[in-house]
Amino acid sequence: MQFLDDSLFPENQQKLVIQVAPYGPEWVAGDSDDIPVSMDQQVQKAVDCWNAGATLLHVHVREEDGKGSKRLSKFNELLARLREAVPQMILQVGGSISFAPESEGQAAKWLSDDTRHMLAELTPRPDQVTVVINTTQLNVYDLLTEADIAGTSLANPGMQEAYTNMVVPSNPSWHVEHLRRLVANGIQPHFMLTGLSSLESVERLVRRGAYNGPLILNYTAVGGGSAGVHPADMLEFVRRTPDGAVLTIEALGRSVFPMNAMAIALGLHVRVGIEDTLRGPTGERMTSVQQIESMVRIARELNRDIASGEEARQIYRLGETYRNADETLAKVGWAPNRAYGQRGVPQHQSA
């Protein structure tokens, strides 16, 4: 991204889109008073987050016993209720879910990848599904401190073993087909990128015509195989991100707050919620709503406006798709593909 002399002035920045992840699938219900369990509670949590200033909701679903749901029908139920309760909110389903068959007939039909591709068949369809590019280790313990997990289920040795060795599979044969299905069903892919290598992989997908649409990104500074929280690494990712992309900074634990403060100052967007941290900047317990309110206060101190639901949809270019690689490269802000026999760096426009 380019930064001109006036790029840090709030009147020249996009209005701030606040993402919120309030469902915290890694936690069990007893880990926090802020974890919604019943369907009514999950819907009310979305309403509370919307009223606090969030315009994008990262959706996971729990069963009535508090465990994370892998039932397609349960996701469909929550999405339908959210469409009524928060109609202007952008609904984003977390793409790490693998749906479990709900009958023997379904079990006979589903292959391993098909359970993840079912995200493209949610009804009503969400606005976005998150997509990790390239298989990634996701050891959340890498950045969490003892204070972060004290008194929670993540202090359990069995949980530590599972999350320390967690891997998010996303090989090319899977993510190329997944992107195709999402776009075909009118769902915007929201790329969750773990560093520069994954950004470069997305660029290659675009240049080869495997994805034609807006470039909506999260820089996932959560460690353990993803980027860490070194500001220089974040700034280099920002510098390498094309001007037409929409970039949100996502972090883990108490680092959520300083990383997002930098994002707000730079004109980027932010993500908060108990999925990323149960604690505030000084270690105090902090609800998802309180985290949203914190981002609103920081933005107001810098005189940066908060996006409305309609403004967030315009910023995210929801509903847009592009005809081919050439149009996508132009819209996103990457240089065009090299013409046959062309030497030197292809220019964005002829001299």
Side-chain angles (χ1 to χ4, degrees), residues 26-238:
E26 76 275 29
W27 308 110
V28 303
D31 287 339
S32 168
D33 294 336
D34 196 41
I35 295 175
V37 174
S38 72
M39 187 62 67
D40 286 346
Q41 290 171 341
Q42 292 174 81
V43 173
Q44 185 60 49
K45 184 61 63 180
V47 172
D48 294 342
C49 290
W50 165 261
N51 288 337
T55 45
L56 184 149
L57 182 71
H58 183 72
V59 177
H60 290 278
V61 185
R62 288 183 187 266
E63 297 286 348
E64 294 295 329
D65 63 3
K67 295 180 179 178
S69 179
K70 292 187 177 182
R71 289 196 289 158
L72 186 72
S73 61
K74 202 73 172 175
F75 275 75
N76 289 339
E77 179 185 356
L78 180 57
L79 287 169
R81 292 192 57 178
L82 291 172
R83 284 294 182 209
E84 292 186 5
V86 284
Q88 296 184 66
M89 210 168 194
I90 297 170
L91 302 183
Q92 174 195 89
V93 173
S96 61
I97 185 72
S98 291
F99 292 111
E102 297 185 38
S103 69
E104 291 184 2
Q106 288 180 333
K109 295 178 182 178
W110 288 5
L111 302 175
S112 58
D113 277 353
D114 287 338
T115 63
R116 300 173 71 200
H117 289 317
M118 291 293 286
L119 285 158
E121 300 179 23
L122 289 163
T123 305
R125 66 176 182 240
D127 298 295
Q128 298 178 334
V129 165
T130 62
V131 182
V132 173
I133 299 296
N134 299 331
T135 297
T136 305
Q137 182 186 351
L138 195 60
N139 171 16
V140 297
Y141 284 91
D142 215 20
L143 285 181
L144 292 176
T145 68
E146 290 187 9
D148 290 325
I149 66 173
T152 74
S153 59
L154 291 190
N156 181 291
M159 293 288 280
Q160 291 191 31
E161 175 69 19
Y163 275 106
T164 297
N165 293 290
M166 185 168 66
V167 173
V168 179
S170 182
N171 50 302
S173 61
W174 179 80
H175 62 236
V176 170
E177 173 63 13
H178 198 55
L179 290 170
R180 186 195 67 79
R181 294 194 193 194
L182 291 174
V183 172
N185 286 335
I187 299 171
Q188 184 181 74
H190 192 127
F191 295 98
M192 311 297 273
L193 301 186
T194 58
L196 284 174
S197 62
S198 53
L199 177 62
E200 290 173 348
S201 291
V202 171
E203 181 177 357
R204 294 184 192 107
L205 290 171
V206 170
R207 291 193 178 279
R208 295 166 182 165
Y211 173 69
N212 298 314
L215 194 62
I216 312 300
L217 313 176
N218 268 31
Y219 176 71
T220 55
V222 298
S226 293
V229 293
H230 198 300
D233 292 340
M234 181 190 77
L235 290 171
E236 179 61 13
F237 190 96
V238 173

Side-chain angles (χ1 to χ4, degrees), residues 248-270:
T248 296
I249 301 302
E250 174 183 344
L252 190 69
R254 291 170 58 194
S255 296
V256 165
F257 301 92
M259 292 289 280
N260 278 341
M262 288 186 280
I264 293 172
L266 290 171
L268 309 177
H269 306 284
V270 299

Side-chain angles (χ1 to χ4, degrees), residues 209-333:
Y211 173 69
N212 298 314
L215 194 62
I216 312 300
L217 313 176
N218 268 31
Y219 176 71
T220 55
V222 298
S226 293
V229 293
H230 198 300
D233 292 340
M234 181 190 77
L235 290 171
E236 179 61 13
F237 190 96
V238 173
R239 190 183 70 83
R240 292 279 297 277
T241 297
D243 293 331
V246 180
L247 178 58
T248 296
I249 301 302
E250 174 183 344
L252 190 69
R254 291 170 58 194
S255 296
V256 165
F257 301 92
M259 292 289 280
N260 278 341
M262 288 186 280
I264 293 172
L266 290 171
L268 309 177
H269 306 284
V270 299
R271 169 171 145 154
V272 293
I274 62 164
E275 183 170 332
D276 301 335
T277 182
L278 292 178
R279 298 182 180 277
T282 59
E284 74 284 14
R285 285 294 184 108
M286 206 169 187
T287 68
S288 293
V289 166
Q290 289 170 334
Q291 293 177 41
I292 297 166
E293 293 169 343
S294 176
M295 296 301 106
V296 171
R297 284 194 299 272
I298 294 171
R300 285 176 176 164
E301 285 293 324
L302 295 174
N303 288 317
R304 187 168 171 201
D305 295 327
I306 308 299
S308 67
E310 181 57 35
E311 289 166 339
R313 290 176 177 275
Q314 292 173 3
I315 290 168
Y316 275 67
R317 301 181 182 89
L318 282 171
E320 286 190 21
T321 56
Y322 306 137
R323 293 168 295 174
N324 50 39
D326 291 338
E327 183 179 8
T328 305
L329 290 166
K331 292 279 191 180
V332 165

